[in-house]
Amino acid sequence: MNDDLLDAVVVGGGPAGLFAAWRLAVGGARVALVEAGGGMRQSLCPRVTARVRGQTVRPAEKFRLQCERCDCLTGLGGAAFHFDTNLGYVQGLSRSKIETDGHGGVRSYSGLERVFGDFARAARAVDDVYRLMYGFGLPRVGGTALRAEQQAVPATAPFALADQAASQAITVDDALGMVDALTREAVDHGMRLYLGRRVDDVTDAPQGFTVRLADGSGALTTRSVVLAVGKLGLDWLRPLLQRLGVAHRPSRKVDVGVRLETDRDIAAPLTASCHNPKLTFINERDEPVRTFCVCEGGRIMQYEFAGTVVLDGQHCLTSPTQRTNFGIVSTVAVPETQDGTDHGIDFARRVNMAGAGLPVVQPLVELLGRGRVDAPVHSSLIRAAYTDLAAALGPQRVADIEGMVDRLAAILPDIVGPRTVVAAPVVEKVYPEIELSADMASNRPGLYFAGDCSSKIIGVTYGAATGLAAADAILRG
């Protein structure tokens, strides 16, 4: 391995890391991308096999079966592109989140707007990401395929915010072609690509940093480092922040909750004109409670995280199911004496303990104390415990679920019925709060954070936008 000085090393090959490395390479920087997993084809689920020629994933094998616990979340493309997913905001950025303003009112904002400090800059960044993805082969869609804002959520629906910004989906097939094209161009411009290499540590060096690879497989010296390790890098990154003296503090807020799953036809009025409606109300503690990651015709998946098991939604665009699921998450403001990261992990562990190490599923009517379901409980989770969730969630989270469901009943009259279940735990945005500039730079000169591990945002387009911002800052010197 060459040990000459690089301009930048990008750690992590998800959307944030890929776009950062590409922008650096085509901008003339000497850059290396280090990814713990393999190439995208090699790191796909064994049940999702790509044809040798072309980019097509065999539909007959795609989502017929599901592993009880997903471990195919590393590799080029990251967790986001290893399954069909939703990109969001194809016709323009919106302020899709709300919070109390401290004066009895509510204000809306965009997470990316908060990162960049300017809504116009955030909107341009999202446009730039789409322009690049189209250039790398993402098919353009238009008209009704975008499901732009129409009449899905009545104006009288009892939400503080009902955001229906048009979004675009992407299949694994299309992601394969896009990631291949992006990676190929970056390599053609000199990017060094290290696959199947975990980073053991990042340490100080006379001219910047030394990025040490695991198992004694070498080291890279570089002026700058972009860390884009995603959600699964939490356990590795937390002590690294301490060792490098990165300015940060315990997170004061964390998203915790459940996934609600019902029959696709029951949820149809919600998804009729928008892929991913974002509906929010403020609970009695002034905490936002919102829908999150709507997966029409999808599945619920589980994976290991920080020594526990958590859930996410899986889009099944190529081979849809007869079920729809979405998150109901509360942005919990933790007390000053607590660490939001630990609060989120502890929440997941309580649920896992109730399920004897498994996620827990319960009929919605039983969780809310509105009846019993004698028929077999139907869930897309392959392996889960079917038991009472209320004690593990706590009364406030149950109240939040009930508040969301009662509001949704104005749109989905059959949502509270025997076919609707609640699955837990869901935990999001659990990184410590890292002090970053609008260019994703930390207090350590040359050290940048992008994507989930920035602690600021989650999502494909947001992640890619932050990766590009970090790369641009490095190129400017």
Side-chain angles (χ1 to χ4, degrees):
M1 180 177 300
N2 293 328
D3 61 354
D4 50 315
L5 185 66
L6 296 169
D7 295 309
V9 171
V10 179
V11 183
L18 275 173
F19 277 82
W22 171 84
R23 178 64 62 85
L24 287 162
V26 299
R30 302 180 66 218
V31 59
L33 173 61
V34 184
E35 164 57 43
M40 188 169 169
R41 282 179 177 76
Q42 291 70 42
S43 55
L44 286 174
C45 174
R47 302 185 192 279
V48 182
T49 58
R51 291 177 181 170
V52 175
R53 301 186 64 160
Q55 316 298 334
T56 305
V57 174
R58 294 171 60 182
E61 296 182 12
K62 190 164 190 184
F63 291 112
R64 181 177 293 170
L65 298 172
Q66 182 191 40
C67 300
E68 63 183 54
R69 192 161 298 169
C70 182
D71 60 3
C72 298
L73 302 176
T74 60
L76 285 185
F81 289 141
H82 280 63
F83 302 95
D84 296 347
T85 193
N86 194 296
L87 299 173
Y89 304 117
V90 69
Q91 287 185 336
L93 187 65
S94 68
R95 291 186 171 99
S96 63
K97 292 186 178 180
I98 58 173
E99 63 187 4
T100 56
D101 62 7
H103 303 287
V106 172
R107 58 177 167 243
S108 62
Y109 66 95
S110 157
L112 197 61
E113 174 186 20
R114 290 276 173 89
V115 172
F116 291 154
D118 180 78
F119 184 84
R121 180 186 174 187
R124 289 194 302 271
V126 170
D127 288 344
D128 190 28
V129 169
Y130 267 106
R131 178 183 61 80
L132 293 172
M133 287 195 292
Y134 290 139
F136 290 123
L138 174 68
R140 292 178 180 270
V141 296
T144 58
L146 287 176
R147 300 191 188 182
E149 184 172 352
Q150 297 174 15
Q151 302 294 324
V153 180
T156 56
F159 295 99
L161 178 72
D163 180 86
Q164 297 183 89
S167 59
Q168 178 170 345
I170 181 172
T171 66
V172 177
D173 304 336
D174 294 331
L176 276 168
M178 189 179 72
V179 170
D180 278 353
L182 184 154
T183 306
R184 199 163 45 240
E185 183 167 299
V187 170
D188 288 346
H189 280 81
M191 181 188 78
R192 303 180 191 179
L193 180 60
Y194 299 103
L195 297 176
R197 305 286 187 90
R198 292 189 177 275
V199 172
D200 182 54
D201 203 357
V202 178
T203 59
D204 291 317
Q207 293 175 282
F209 301 92
T210 298
V211 178
R212 301 188 184 281
L213 304 186
D215 302 321
S217 55
L220 301 166
T221 54
T222 178
R223 294 186 177 89
S224 301
V225 175
V226 179
L227 294 174
V229 294
K231 184 177 180 181
L232 295 183
L234 175 66
D235 284 344
W236 176 79
L237 193 61
R238 287 179 83 182
L240 183 69
L241 297 176
Q242 297 287 351
R243 290 197 299 273
L244 288 177
V246 176
H248 69 288
R249 57 186 175 274
S251 58
R252 296 268 64 87
K253 295 181 180 180
V254 62
D255 287 350
V256 298
V258 302
R259 293 201 76 83
L260 187 144
E261 184 177 56
T262 192
D263 285 350
R264 193 176 181 183
D265 59 346
I266 292 175
L270 178 67
T271 58
S273 64
C274 181
H275 282 297
N276 187 26
K278 304 174 186 71
L279 313 177
T280 311
F281 71 93
I282 302 293
N283 69 15
E284 63 271 21
R285 295 187 179 185
D286 288 339
E287 297 168 336
V289 182
R290 60 191 173 91
T291 60
F292 171 75
C293 183
V294 178
C295 297
E296 179 188 9
R299 297 183 185 273
I300 304 175
M301 63 180 290
Q302 57 177 293
Y303 61 96
E304 293 188 18
F305 170 69
T308 184
V309 177
V310 296
L311 304 179
D312 204 347
Q314 180 177 316
H315 298 269
C316 302
L317 302 170
T318 307
S319 301
T321 72
Q322 295 305 307
R323 302 280 279 174
T324 289
N325 72 85
F326 54 88
I328 299 176
V329 297
S330 306
T331 301
V332 178
V334 302
E336 289 290 333
T337 56
Q338 294 185 18
D339 184 316
T341 301
D342 294 335
H343 180 94
I345 295 171
D346 289 344
F347 171 84
R349 286 176 177 156
R350 286 199 308 275
V351 176
N352 284 183
M353 287 178 64
L358 297 174
V360 176
V361 175
Q362 185 177 22
L364 175 64
V365 293
E366 294 184 5
L367 177 68
L368 301 183
R370 300 184 184 181
R372 297 283 301 173
V373 176
D374 296 324
V377 178
H378 182 70
S379 168
S380 60
L381 279 170
I382 297 299
R383 190 175 177 218
Y386 293 85
T387 187
D388 183 45
L389 258 175
L393 296 178
Q396 184 60 55
R397 300 291 77 82
V398 174
D400 289 349
I401 295 165
E402 187 166 29
M404 178 61 76
V405 167
D406 286 346
R407 287 168 172 80
L408 285 171
I411 308 164
L412 312 175
D414 297 322
I415 191 69
V416 182
R419 300 290 291 173
T420 303
V421 298
V422 175
V426 172
V427 179
E428 298 289 347
K429 297 188 72 173
V430 292
Y431 268 101
E433 293 182 17
I434 305 171
E435 293 184 15
L436 298 176
S437 74
D439 293 323
M440 315 311 295
S442 72
N443 65 304
R444 292 296 311 275
L447 184 61
Y448 299 78
F449 294 79
D452 285 20
C453 78
S454 71
S455 76
K456 311 301 181 187
I457 53 92
I458 58 176
V460 176
T461 51
Y462 279 11
T466 58
L468 291 171
D472 288 339
I474 293 170
L475 290 171
R476 288 194 300 268

